[in-house]
Amino acid sequence: MSLLLLAISAALVNNVVLSQFLGLCPFLGVSKKINTSVGMSGAVIVVITAASAICSAIYHFILAPLNLTYLNTIVFILVIASLVQFMEMFIKKSNPALYQSLGVFLPLITTNCAVLGVALSNVQKNYDIWTSTINGFGTALGFALAILLLASIRERNEDNDVPKSFKGMPHVLLTAGLMSIAFFGWAGVL
Amino acid sequence: MSGIIIAAIVVGATGIGLGFFLTFMGKKFAVEVDEKEEQIRALLPGNNCGACGFPGCDGAAAAIAKGDAAPNICPVGGPAIAEQIGEITGGSAEAAEVKTAFVMCAGTCDKAKDLYEYDGVKSCLAAGSAPGGGAKGCSYGCKGFGDCVAACDFDAIHIVDGIAVVDRDKCVSCGACVKACPQRLIELIPVKRTAAVECNSRDMGKDVLAVCQAGCIGCHMCEKECPIPDGAIHVEKNIAKVDYSKCVGCGKCAAKCPKKVIKMFTVKK
């Protein structure tokens, strides 16, 4: 039960994008169409969940016993970069169209701070492997929810008559800000 | 000291382990990229103009390698590149016919009258929605706001004296201006000795005369003068059109044309 609560709180209350402001680059960059943002969410869910599990395992079995916790960042980055590489190969093979539309944002999952952020916060909060995986999964779901919501809003607003100075990115940033305020409503829930 | 060694071993081992994992997965999920495709892509100019009809040079390279497209589809690269690509694909190295853009209007400021002063947005497309399709008396002619100039990636078309003029030395016949012109005044013609009609007006001769001194009045003189069997120039819907595949560029029609709207081109590009 507490694991379920953890997942929900990671997805909604402490939403990685809208409350912690991590992973904004793909959030703004790949949210133009629902299709590509679905692909991006899928990739990020897999990468964050796997990265949380593997990083937590490495931390508990190798780094902590050997008093090497100062190597957290570099080892985690290694793991994340390889996972993203693998993800890239997998998508290139299984869905070339998605690979094309994700473009440069696919390898950029490596530098998506949401991924490293989750891995590091798992360690800081001293979660065990299982809890870390659930936390990672919940966080990734939160990312997917945020990017899908933004993509839907952007698709709806596509043809709106926006004043010239607000066209494009300013409009998106304002939308994201309003979404963030809306998500603060979850703060009192848990 | 031992701390450093252990740290190095741990990070190194993690790296090597992940390296093996990636190599293994790389083999398993390898996507065969055609060797030819990469070679062809290297030969293409890479300005992604889309003149070949494919999304950029990558798309064209993939299509050529697959055999869906001829080696000579790139008009920018021209015959030299077509030959090299032909060697790679092993197919015919026949080059595409070299073409150049041509503006079918000679109504410069002094020859074509304006009906009123247009003071709106400086764009051919926008001017077209003004009364009478813009200020120019001739509703078929070049409006001279340079939508084609903006579309050209190669600085090969300019507005001179109120009409668009192609710089044939720079034109790579990518067709961007052809698409940009709202008047459909620009066409790609072969670079060879040929005649070309510098007018696109479908109005009756009398109406053309009223608004422009350089317009085709559809008098059929050129048609009668043409020495080619069946004729290489025909008047249809009040406008003379050259059949470029037949025209040999003798110049007889141009000499006879009472309005001097037939322009002769020599071989030199």
Side-chain angles (χ1 to χ4, degrees), chain B:
Chain B
M1 186 61 201
S2 67
I4 296 175
I5 294 170
I6 293 173
I9 291 172
V10 166
V11 177
T14 318
I16 290 171
L18 291 168
F20 274 119
F21 167 74
L22 279 183
T23 319
F24 177 68
M25 284 305 173
K27 285 260 164 61
K28 202 163 183 187
F29 288 100
V31 179
E32 296 108 54
V33 178
D34 203 335
E35 207 176 289
K36 278 184 200 166
E37 190 183 322
E38 281 176 2
Q39 288 172 349
I40 294 169
R41 176 64 191 81
L43 284 173
L44 291 172
N47 53 310
N48 294 320
C49 64
C52 51
F54 291 97
C57 296
D58 286 338
I64 297 173
K66 256 191 197 169
D68 290 347
N72 59 13
I73 52 163
C74 180
V76 179
I81 282 177
E83 209 169 284
Q84 286 173 295
I85 294 175
E87 275 169 25
I88 295 172
T89 55
S92 71
E94 214 173 284
E97 190 179 29
V98 187
K99 289 189 168 185
T100 183
F102 168 66
V103 183
M104 294 179 273
C105 182
T108 48
C109 297
D110 54 320
K111 286 180 183 153
K113 286 175 200 147
D114 275 0
L115 296 183
Y116 56 89
E117 201 167 313
Y118 173 80
D119 196 20
V121 181
K122 301 284 183 229
S123 142
C124 307
L125 197 59
S129 55
K136 204 166 212 167
C138 172
S139 57
Y140 297 93
C142 175
K143 298 187 193 300
F145 291 114
D147 285 13
C148 48
V149 178
C152 184
D153 280 341
F154 302 92
D155 190 34
I157 190 163
H158 301 280
I159 302 297
V160 179
D161 208 6
I163 57 163
V165 175
V166 176
D167 183 341
R168 282 162 70 95
D169 289 332
K170 287 184 184 165
C171 182
V172 297
S173 72
C174 68
C177 52
V178 177
K179 284 180 205 140
C181 182
Q183 297 286 78
R184 310 207 174 283
L185 268 180
I186 308 176
E187 63 176 353
L188 296 177
I189 63 166
V191 175
K192 65 166 194 176
R193 251 185 102 81
T194 184
V197 182
E198 279 194 305
C199 183
N200 196 36
S201 172
R202 263 103 174 147
D203 281 347
M204 299 290 279
K206 202 176 81 165
D207 302 331
V208 175
L209 276 174
V211 292
C212 183
Q213 296 167 33
C216 172
I217 52 173
C219 65
H220 295 261
M221 294 268 234
C222 47
E223 228 175 54
K224 287 168 194 151
E225 204 61 31
C226 187
I228 313 275
D230 294 339
I233 186 162
H234 293 284
V235 177
E236 259 175 58
K237 293 178 187 161
N238 293 317
I239 178 76
K241 281 271 171 215
V242 175
D243 183 343
Y244 299 109
S245 60
K246 285 185 187 166
C247 183
V248 292
C250 65
K252 282 186 180 160
C253 53
K256 196 78 182 173
C257 179
K259 302 307 293 179
K260 301 289 169 225
V261 289
I262 301 177
K263 189 166 180 177
M264 295 307 303
F265 286 110
T266 48
V267 187
K268 191 182 158 287
K269 193 182 174 183

Side-chain angles (χ1 to χ4, degrees), chain A residues 54 58 62-63 66 68 70-71 74-75 78-83 85-86 89-90 92-94, chain B residues 3-4 6-8 10-11 14-15 18-19 21-23 25-33:
Chain A
I54 296 171
I58 289 179
I62 302 171
L63 298 179
L66 293 173
L68 291 172
Y70 60 91
L71 287 176
I74 187 166
V75 173
L78 262 177
V79 171
I80 292 165
S82 327
L83 275 174
Q85 278 281 312
F86 168 64
M89 288 173 196
F90 182 75
K92 198 173 181 183
K93 178 87 176 176
S94 61
Chain B
I4 296 175
I6 293 173
V10 166
V11 177
T14 318
L18 291 168
F21 167 74
L22 279 183
T23 319
M25 284 305 173
K27 285 260 164 61
K28 202 163 183 187
F29 288 100
V31 179
E32 296 108 54
V33 178

Side-chain angles (χ1 to χ4, degrees), chain A residues 24-104:
Chain A
L24 287 173
C25 167
F27 178 65
L28 298 173
V30 201
S31 56
K32 208 161 188 180
K33 282 199 197 120
I34 293 185
N35 285 347
T36 44
S37 65
V38 167
M40 189 66 184
S41 318
V44 168
I45 288 177
V46 174
V47 169
I48 292 192
T49 313
S52 305
I54 296 171
C55 291
S56 176
I58 289 179
Y59 176 80
H60 282 288
F61 292 124
I62 302 171
L63 298 179
L66 293 173
N67 282 329
L68 291 172
T69 49
Y70 60 91
L71 287 176
N72 278 351
T73 315
I74 187 166
V75 173
F76 289 1
I77 282 286
L78 262 177
V79 171
I80 292 165
S82 327
L83 275 174
V84 172
Q85 278 281 312
F86 168 64
M87 218 40 224
E88 207 180 332
M89 288 173 196
F90 182 75
I91 292 181
K92 198 173 181 183
K93 178 87 176 176
S94 61
N95 195 342
L98 181 63
Y99 179 78
Q100 286 278 333
S101 58
L102 284 178
V104 71

